[in-house]
Amino acid sequence: MTSSGQINKDNISPGSDYKSLPEGYGSTEAVLLPRDPNWMFIYWEITANAKAEVCKKHGADIFQKSKQIIRVYDVTATGSVDGGDQKYFDIPIMVDAKNWYINVQESGRTYCCEVGLVTPDGRFIGLVRTNPVKLPGGMVSDVTDEKWMSVSSDFEKLLQLSGVEYIGKGSGEVAKSLAQRWEMLRAVFSRASSWGVSSLSSHALGKQPSVNKNFWLVADCELILYGATEPDACVTVSGRKVKLNTDGTFSMRFALPDGSMGLPIKAVSNDESDTREIEIKVSRTTHTDGK
């Protein structure tokens, strides 16, 4: 006796939820399943009545004196065993095994199997036949539809982002290219943000669209200044010192109102022995239809 109760020794069978599957379902049938490009799995059941019918027709010892086999048909061309003179090969088995793994040399073809007997005089007696199964091809798919197609424009963008254009350039050219690419990316993001509320303070967006009209238009532009020099140089834009990135690149973003503006840029080397200056002049004129 235990603290939780008494064991009933007369009832030692497992509960109904843990019982194994039955040995058969009382139906003569066979099922063929694909496993991979070169393997299939077959399981079958041949009832006692079906075996008795075979013995009655071909002799009581037909199962003992005949060779028990699985006949594997290649029915790729016809789709059925009855459709013509298909190629086949035999696999010796035991009928009572009830399941078997089948290996085929050619993938991508349709097969059908039949469990049966080969008599001493070479006759084949079919006992049960399976469904046909088409195996997948054991190679790279030749499907190249639009779902898997590589779009050329996307490929070009990825190629540019990979930095392939820097091959063969000097350090100064690489720095300039990096600055340009960085600004291109910033421009893309700033374009997205310019459609939001943050850009409404600029000149052209100061005029709100009329709430009484369905069709309207707003537009504006900004100025992005970028460049590159030696990482330890001192750079000023319009007299204001600019903080350089670790690779010597820099960028600035300005509002661009109507009119003209000058942007003098000056770089002084770390030892103050060299100086380079660039002045950029920009003008903007905005015309609207006044509506």
Side-chain angles (χ1 to χ4, degrees), residues 50-65:
K51 291 181 179 178
E53 288 293 328
V54 174
C55 291
K56 181 179 180 181
K57 184 176 181 180
H58 299 282
D61 59 345
I62 189 65
F63 281 88
Q64 286 73 34
K65 68 179 183 182

Side-chain angles (χ1 to χ4, degrees), residues 270-284:
N270 186 42
D271 59 3
E272 299 183 349
S273 61
D274 288 320
T275 301
R276 296 289 185 275
E277 293 185 48
I278 297 174
E279 183 172 2
I280 298 175
K281 293 184 177 180
V282 181
S283 64
R284 170 181 171 176

Side-chain angles (χ1 to χ4, degrees), residues 149-226:
M149 182 175 63
S150 176
V151 181
S152 299
S153 58
D154 292 343
F155 176 76
E156 292 296 334
K157 291 178 182 177
L158 292 173
L159 190 63
Q160 292 298 320
L161 291 174
S162 69
V164 67
E165 72 269 27
Y166 306 142
I167 298 175
K169 290 185 177 181
S171 58
E173 292 173 311
V174 170
K176 292 177 182 178
S177 298
L178 288 173
Q180 292 174 357
R181 187 177 66 167
W182 187 66
E183 288 305 330
M184 289 173 60
L185 295 174
R186 282 177 57 90
V188 171
F189 289 110
S190 65
R191 186 188 312 161
S193 63
S194 68
W195 296 335
V197 178
S198 61
S199 63
L200 293 179
S201 60
S202 61
H203 172 74
L205 302 187
K207 184 178 180 179
Q208 299 295 323
S210 172
V211 296
N212 297 323
K213 295 183 178 180
N214 294 327
F215 184 74
W216 54 278
L217 171 66
V218 294
D220 200 1
C221 64
E222 296 175 325
L223 176 64
I224 295 177
L225 173 70
Y226 60 90

Side-chain angles (χ1 to χ4, degrees), residues 36-265:
D36 61 33
N38 295 101
W39 284 90
M40 301 181 292
F41 177 72
I42 176 177
Y43 65 91
W44 66 87
E45 178 184 355
I46 302 173
T47 64
N49 289 337
K51 291 181 179 178
E53 288 293 328
V54 174
C55 291
K56 181 179 180 181
K57 184 176 181 180
H58 299 282
D61 59 345
I62 189 65
F63 281 88
Q64 286 73 34
K65 68 179 183 182
S66 299
K67 186 177 181 181
Q68 302 176 10
I69 64 163
I70 296 175
R71 181 155 290 183
V72 182
Y73 297 94
D74 184 340
V75 295
T76 305
T78 61
S80 172
V81 174
D82 300 324
D85 187 17
Q86 295 85 4
K87 295 189 301 182
Y88 66 86
F89 63 92
D90 295 339
I91 302 174
I93 61 161
M94 293 180 294
V95 171
D96 292 338
K98 296 185 177 180
N99 63 78
W100 211 268
Y101 282 96
I102 300 172
N103 175 251
V104 292
Q105 297 298 316
E106 293 185 82
S107 61
R109 302 189 68 81
T110 301
Y111 295 95
C112 181
C113 296
E114 189 169 16
V115 180
L117 306 172
V118 176
T119 63
D121 58 358
R123 291 181 298 115
F124 176 70
I125 302 172
L127 300 177
V128 62
R129 186 180 297 174
T130 70
N131 54 292
V133 162
K134 179 175 173 46
L135 294 181
M139 62 185 69
V140 178
S141 174
D142 57 355
V143 177
T144 57
D145 56 19
E146 65 279 2
K147 185 176 181 180
W148 309 105
M149 182 175 63
S150 176
V151 181
S152 299
S153 58
D154 292 343
F155 176 76
E156 292 296 334
K157 291 178 182 177
L158 292 173
L159 190 63
Q160 292 298 320
L161 291 174
S162 69
V164 67
E165 72 269 27
Y166 306 142
I167 298 175
K169 290 185 177 181
S171 58
E173 292 173 311
V174 170
K176 292 177 182 178
S177 298
L178 288 173
Q180 292 174 357
R181 187 177 66 167
W182 187 66
E183 288 305 330
M184 289 173 60
L185 295 174
R186 282 177 57 90
V188 171
F189 289 110
S190 65
R191 186 188 312 161
S193 63
S194 68
W195 296 335
V197 178
S198 61
S199 63
L200 293 179
S201 60
S202 61
H203 172 74
L205 302 187
K207 184 178 180 179
Q208 299 295 323
S210 172
V211 296
N212 297 323
K213 295 183 178 180
N214 294 327
F215 184 74
W216 54 278
L217 171 66
V218 294
D220 200 1
C221 64
E222 296 175 325
L223 176 64
I224 295 177
L225 173 70
Y226 60 90
T229 184
E230 296 296 329
D232 58 355
C234 178
V235 175
T236 60
V237 176
S238 299
R240 295 175 56 186
K241 186 176 181 180
V242 176
K243 183 179 180 180
L244 300 180
N245 298 312
T246 55
D247 59 356
T249 60
F250 61 93
S251 67
M252 302 181 72
R253 184 177 176 182
F254 299 90
L256 185 59
D258 280 357
S260 299
M261 63 184 298
L263 294 170
I265 307 161

